Amino acid sequence: MVYPHNLGEGKLEGCKDNEIHYLKGLCYEAEGCTAEAEKEFRLTLEGKAELSSVMYYYDQPADIIAFQALSLEKLGEKDEARSMFESLIQYGNQHKDDEI
């Protein structure tokens, strides 16, 4: 979660490590550590939840939003999670034939 000093650039501002927090939440959940799991699932919700084309290396890819939706499910926010999943599907359908 912390980049070594010898890596020059370090972590980009927009990088919220959603996928790592989600997976850590699953691990805590499997161990029965519900408070820690909830904390990790909530950390997954940080960052933008906006869909857009990934044009540059620092743009947030759609899979990060999927991890946010998965975390919302784990937190009991089923309707909000469903809405995010549906927006991912809609965005994919709208852009599946785009030429990059």
Side-chain angles (χ1 to χ4, degrees):
M1 300 295 292
V2 178
Y3 285 36
H5 293 289
N6 65 338
L7 285 184
E9 185 173 304
K11 188 184 289 192
L12 295 169
E13 172 55 34
C15 180
K16 301 299 181 193
D17 297 320
N18 296 41
E19 69 280 21
I20 296 170
H21 290 297
Y22 176 74
L23 294 172
K24 283 177 68 177
L26 290 180
C27 291
Y28 280 126
E29 184 179 64
E31 291 293 316
C33 303
T34 55
E36 291 88 348
E38 182 177 336
K39 178 183 173 190
E40 293 297 332
F41 293 139
R42 292 205 181 282
L43 286 170
T44 304
L45 302 178
E46 292 184 5
K48 293 186 226 175
E50 300 171 8
L51 290 166
S52 62
S53 295
V54 176
M55 301 294 287
Y56 302 101
Y57 67 96
Y58 52 79
D59 288 345
Q60 180 169 280
D63 62 331
I64 297 303
I65 295 170
F67 285 108
Q68 290 177 328
L70 288 167
S71 289
L72 285 168
E73 277 190 332
K74 289 290 188 179
L75 294 168
E77 302 291 333
K78 306 277 187 204
D79 291 337
E80 191 174 348
R82 184 176 298 114
S83 176
M84 288 180 89
F85 285 130
E86 288 172 359
S87 69
L88 281 168
I89 292 167
Q90 182 180 27
Y91 184 83
N93 285 332
Q94 289 173 348
H95 297 280
K96 66 183 176 185
D97 296 322
D98 289 0
E99 289 194 33
I100 308 294

